[in-house]
Amino acid sequence: MTTPSNIRLNVLDQSPIRPGATPRQALLETVELAQLADRLGYTRFWVSEHHNTNTLAGSTPEVLIAHLGNHTQRIRLGSGGIMLPHYSALKVAENFRMLESLFPGRIDLGMGRAPGADRLTAYALNPNNQFNEKDFVEQLMDLQAYLRDEKVPDTIHERVMAIPQSPTAPELWILSSSGQSGLFAAHLGMAFSFAQFINGNGGPEAVRQYRQRFRPSPELATPLANMAVFTLCADTEEKANELRKAMDMQLIRFNRGEFRTFPSAEEVRAYQFTAEDQAHLRHNHNRVVSGTPDQVHAQFIQLAAEYEVDEITAVTITADFEDRRRSYELLAEAFHLTPTNALQEAEAA
């Protein structure tokens, strides 16, 4: 049984562009949040990949991770995730071997097969992308072979290696908002992360299926899973409800195909949910956890028990950057995370 004392907390940051802010400001805020999460004692800080959008600034996780590595000390850094069908397996292997060489023992390679954009943009990124499962699985297998330095006779791996060589390797994760990619993770012996912030239904069952079908690999002897959920933590219920309303509005916009900047506080106060909106609210309900620290703590404990995981990833977007910072601070306090300076003092003793 998962208990409050052994739940680890992670961050997935999408570099959202706030109302009135620039993409550069969004990226600088991602850096500031990574430093905050590092100080507070979070376990992982992942950054996402999106394209052809004016609402999110994170398009190249591998570049951003390199910058974050130079501005943090301990926290694991990763992609949430690299959209593998856009790229060659060799290039991804070399990007993350470089990161692992620069920041050994701190790099997670999270991979997905969603476009992270519209189909036209996906075509522009890789005109040969057929969007089929077979190609994705073959890419995953190629990636493993490159990272293992396998010299498989009569294959490209006999003559081509991924550099730089490194005594350690990035941790491999498959990200999914459905159960199918979880089965790929199980078959290949990779870790699995379920995106409940994208799909509010079916997550616990997808993780159970992953565990039941898991096959040990040289990198991972036993199943490793986590889940990610939109998280809004505030000092008061009133503030939490305000943040929740803004998130609900944005999700409703996305459901309608309206990809606009996150709603401002003024827009939130003026907006009244319609009868049509109520159906969207019900559909999106499980994608978001919100409330005071005690309320969010209780909801996280319940999620950890349902998924049978010991780590949860928070995805927090607000119109005001200070609300975003505060949410992560309150969450860390609720779970009594050990700050970096306390770890350093313990090691020095």
Side-chain angles (χ1 to χ4, degrees), residues 253-307:
R253 288 174 174 179
F254 284 172
N255 289 156
R256 291 174 176 164
E258 301 173 10
F259 301 103
R260 290 190 276 161
T261 305
F262 202 79
S264 66
E266 292 74 19
E267 290 178 290
V268 172
R269 283 192 289 269
Y271 191 80
Q272 297 295 321
F273 290 120
T274 66
E276 180 187 353
D277 291 339
Q278 297 300 325
H280 290 295
L281 291 174
R282 289 190 295 272
H283 177 74
N284 293 324
H285 178 74
N286 291 335
R287 296 170 65 183
V288 187
V289 166
S290 63
T292 63
D294 285 346
Q295 291 169 336
V296 172
H297 181 277
Q299 292 173 78
F300 268 35
I301 295 300
Q302 182 177 345
L303 284 170
E306 290 173 357
Y307 276 85

Side-chain angles (χ1 to χ4, degrees), residues 200-265:
N201 301 302
E205 178 58 27
V207 172
R208 276 192 290 274
Q209 289 287 326
Y210 160 73
R211 284 202 186 88
Q212 290 169 3
R213 302 194 185 192
F214 182 83
R215 295 167 49 174
S217 66
E219 296 81 21
L220 194 61
T222 57
L224 176 61
N226 67 30
M227 59 83 66
V229 64
F230 281 125
T231 306
L232 301 163
C233 193
D235 289 280
T236 66
E237 282 193 53
E238 181 181 14
K239 181 64 176 180
N241 290 338
E242 175 188 316
L243 298 178
R244 176 64 181 259
K245 184 179 179 182
M247 176 58 72
D248 285 338
M249 286 177 60
Q250 188 70 338
L251 294 179
I252 288 171
R253 288 174 174 179
F254 284 172
N255 289 156
R256 291 174 176 164
E258 301 173 10
F259 301 103
R260 290 190 276 161
T261 305
F262 202 79
S264 66

Side-chain angles (χ1 to χ4, degrees), residues 6 66 82 102 104 125-126 143 158 163 172 241 247 250 266 290 296:
N6 64 14
I82 293 291
L102 292 171
L125 285 161
N126 178 9
L143 185 75
E158 186 175 23
I163 63 168
L172 300 181
N241 290 338
M247 176 58 72
Q250 188 70 338
E266 292 74 19
S290 63
V296 172

Side-chain angles (χ1 to χ4, degrees), residues 24-291:
R24 173 173 168 77
Q25 286 175 302
L27 294 170
L28 292 177
E29 288 166 1
T30 291
V31 177
E32 186 173 335
L33 287 178
Q35 293 172 321
L36 176 67
D38 193 23
R39 291 194 302 271
L40 292 176
Y42 281 80
T43 299
R44 308 178 196 272
F45 190 95
W46 289 357
V47 291
S48 65
E49 176 183 341
H50 293 88
H51 304 280
N52 196 29
T53 174
N54 59 5
T55 62
L56 304 171
S59 59
T60 52
E62 63 274 30
V63 176
L64 189 50
I65 291 167
H67 186 68
L68 296 177
N70 283 320
H71 289 79
T72 54
Q73 298 177 32
R74 292 173 175 270
I75 196 166
R76 293 191 66 91
L77 301 168
S79 53
I82 293 291
M83 298 299 105
L84 194 56
H86 296 326
Y87 314 106
S88 78
L90 175 60
K91 186 57 178 175
V92 173
E94 292 197 324
N95 282 342
F96 279 80
R97 269 219 157 147
M98 177 64 74
L99 291 169
E100 181 67 24
S101 296
L102 292 171
F103 312 106
R106 293 181 59 198
I107 301 300
D108 297 331
L109 170 48
M111 297 161 287
R113 62 187 178 103
D118 56 88
R119 285 296 181 101
L120 179 62
T121 305
Y123 173 81
L125 285 161
N126 178 9
N128 295 317
N129 186 358
Q130 299 299 310
F131 300 98
N132 65 56
E133 294 177 357
K134 180 176 178 291
D135 289 347
F136 181 60
V137 173
E138 288 180 355
Q139 281 190 293
L140 291 169
M141 294 172 67
D142 278 342
L143 185 75
Q144 279 186 321
Y146 284 126
L147 292 175
R148 292 171 180 169
D149 294 315
E150 292 181 350
K151 303 298 182 185
V152 183
D154 301 320
T155 72
I156 195 170
H157 302 291
E158 186 175 23
R159 301 178 61 185
V160 177
M161 66 178 180
I163 63 168
Q165 299 287 283
S166 173
T168 59
E171 207 169 84
L172 300 181
W173 289 76
I174 293 184
L175 284 53
S176 178
S177 57
S178 69
Q180 184 59 54
S181 289
L183 300 181
F184 300 154
H187 180 76
L188 296 171
M190 296 181 182
F192 177 51
S193 180
F194 188 86
Q196 183 159 314
F197 69 99
I198 296 175
N199 179 8
N201 301 302
E205 178 58 27
V207 172
R208 276 192 290 274
Q209 289 287 326
Y210 160 73
R211 284 202 186 88
Q212 290 169 3
R213 302 194 185 192
F214 182 83
R215 295 167 49 174
S217 66
E219 296 81 21
L220 194 61
T222 57
L224 176 61
N226 67 30
M227 59 83 66
V229 64
F230 281 125
T231 306
L232 301 163
C233 193
D235 289 280
T236 66
E237 282 193 53
E238 181 181 14
K239 181 64 176 180
N241 290 338
E242 175 188 316
L243 298 178
R244 176 64 181 259
K245 184 179 179 182
M247 176 58 72
D248 285 338
M249 286 177 60
Q250 188 70 338
L251 294 179
I252 288 171
R253 288 174 174 179
F254 284 172
N255 289 156
R256 291 174 176 164
E258 301 173 10
F259 301 103
R260 290 190 276 161
T261 305
F262 202 79
S264 66
E266 292 74 19
E267 290 178 290
V268 172
R269 283 192 289 269
Y271 191 80
Q272 297 295 321
F273 290 120
T274 66
E276 180 187 353
D277 291 339
Q278 297 300 325
H280 290 295
L281 291 174
R282 289 190 295 272
H283 177 74
N284 293 324
H285 178 74
N286 291 335
R287 296 170 65 183
V288 187
V289 166
S290 63

